[in-house]
Amino acid sequence: MPVRISTEANTMTAFLSGEIDHHSAAAIRDAIDTQIQINRPKLLKLDFSEVTFMDSSGVGLIMGRYKNALTFGGRTEVANMPAFAEKVMRLSGLEKIIRFYKEK
Amino acid sequence: MQVINEMKLVIDALSVNEGYCRVAVATFVSQLDPTIEELNDVKTSVSEAVTNCIVHAYPKKRGKIYITARLYADGLSRVTIKDRGIGIEDVKKAREPLFTTAGGERSGLGFSVMESFSDKLTVRSKPGWGTSVTIEKRIAGKGK
Ligand SMILES: Nc1ncnc2c1ncn2[C@@H]1O[C@H](COP(=O)(O)OP(=O)(O)OP(=O)(O)O)[C@@H](O)[C@H]1O
Ligand SMILES: [Mg+2]
C-alpha cells in the first residue's frame, strides 16, 4: 500500500510513498478518506517524504483531501514535499491555501 | 537533424500502464545522459500525456496509446503520444491552466505541466480523429 496512516490525538498523518500518478492515487485517496471519515481529525498531515515521483494527479489528490477534511472541520498541511515535485506544486498554486513545510 | 535512435510502443490505454509508459520512455532517453532533473521532466510530461489518453480519449471503447520517441544527434529528445479517441474540440482552450472537462479530482494542470517541463509542446487534435501530443526536450546532460 503506498500510504500508511497514523492517528494521534486530533492529528491524522498520512505517509505517502512511491510513485503518485492517476493510477496509484485512487487507492491512496480511498485509504485516506476512509480514515478521515472514522477519525474526523482537526489536522490532516500529508507527509510526502517517501514519494519518488508525482505528476498533476498529486495536486488533485491534495486538493481532494483538503476539501474532504474540511467537511469534517479539519485543516490540511503538507509536509516534506521532495524538491523534484516543487515545480508541479508551484504551478498548482496550492501553496496559497495550504501550508507546506519541511521537517528535516 | 539526424535521428540517432527511435522506439515505438503501442499499449492499451489502461491506468495500470501509466508507470510502464513513463519509465520506458525515460529509460530510452537516458542514452542522452540526462541529469536527474531533466529525466524527471521527461517522465512527468510523458505521464501527463499518457494519463490524458487514459482519462479522456476513450470514454466508451477500449483504445490504445501510440508512443514514438526519437533521439537526435544534437541532444534533442522528441516524444509523441497519440490516441485515436474522441479528440479535443478547442485545443487552445484545453491548454489553458486549470481548464478541465473531467470532474472528480482532475486539476486541469496536465498541459501546463507538459509545457513548463519541456522546451516545446505541440498538440494536434480533431474530434473523432484523436489527439497527438509532441514533447520536445533538449538534454544538455551531465557532461555540460
Ligand atoms: N488525449 C485527449 N483526448 C481527449 N481530450 C483530451 C485529451 N487530453 C486532454 N484532453 C482535454 O483537455 C483538457 C485539459 O487537459 P489537462 O491534462 O490540462 O487537464 P486534465 O487532464 O483535465 O487534469 P489533470 O491533467 O490536471 O489531471 C481535459 O480536461 C480534456 O478535456
Ligand atoms: Mg491531464
Side-chain angles (χ1 to χ4, degrees), chain A residues 56 87-88 91, chain B residues 41-42 44-49 52 91-98 108-124 133-138:
Chain A
S56 69
K87 218 152 70 172
V88 174
L91 279 174
Chain B
D41 287 354
V42 171
T44 311
S45 33
V46 169
S47 192
E48 295 297 348
N52 279 351
V91 172
K92 194 165 166 261
K93 195 165 184 188
R95 288 180 68 155
E96 281 170 16
L98 307 181
L109 282 176
F111 281 130
S112 308
V113 168
M114 289 182 245
E115 217 158 273
S116 66
F117 282 51
S118 67
D119 294 307
K120 190 176 171 202
L121 179 71
T122 312
V123 182
R124 287 168 49 224
V133 169
T134 298
I135 297 158
E136 289 178 34
K137 175 83 179 168
R138 201 162 286 285

Side-chain angles (χ1 to χ4, degrees), chain A residues 19 21-23 29 53-57 59-61 64-65 84 87-88 91-92, chain B residues 15-16 18 22 37 40-41 43-44 47-48 51 55 105-107 109 113 116-117:
Chain A
E19 311 211 333
D21 58 16
H22 154 258
H23 182 68
R29 177 191 64 213
F53 172 82
M54 196 189 90
D55 64 17
S56 69
S57 305
V59 175
L61 185 69
R65 305 300 64 68
F84 66 79
K87 218 152 70 172
V88 174
L91 279 174
S92 77
Chain B
S15 73
V16 70
E18 288 163 13
R22 65 176 174 264
E37 200 195 335
N40 187 60
D41 287 354
K43 240 189 198 176
T44 311
S47 192
E48 295 297 348
T51 301
V55 174
E105 306 204 327
R106 315 294 347 145
S107 54
L109 282 176
V113 168
S116 66
F117 282 51

Side-chain angles (χ1 to χ4, degrees), chain A residues 56, chain B residues 48 52-53 56-57 83 86-88 94 99-102 106-111 131:
Chain A
S56 69
Chain B
E48 295 297 348
N52 279 351
C53 300
H56 306 293
D83 63 67
I86 57 167
I88 302 172
F99 177 86
T100 182
T101 54
R106 315 294 347 145
S107 54
L109 282 176
F111 281 130
T131 302

Side-chain angles (χ1 to χ4, degrees), chain B residues 7-20:
Chain B
M7 78 97 149
K8 281 183 188 286
L9 174 64
V10 180
I11 193 163
D12 282 349
L14 299 171
S15 73
V16 70
N17 291 327
E18 288 163 13
Y20 179 79

Side-chain angles (χ1 to χ4, degrees), chain A residues 64-76:
Chain A
R65 305 300 64 68
Y66 162 84
K67 284 185 187 158
N68 190 25
L70 202 59
T71 59
F72 296 100
R75 73 192 153 87
T76 298

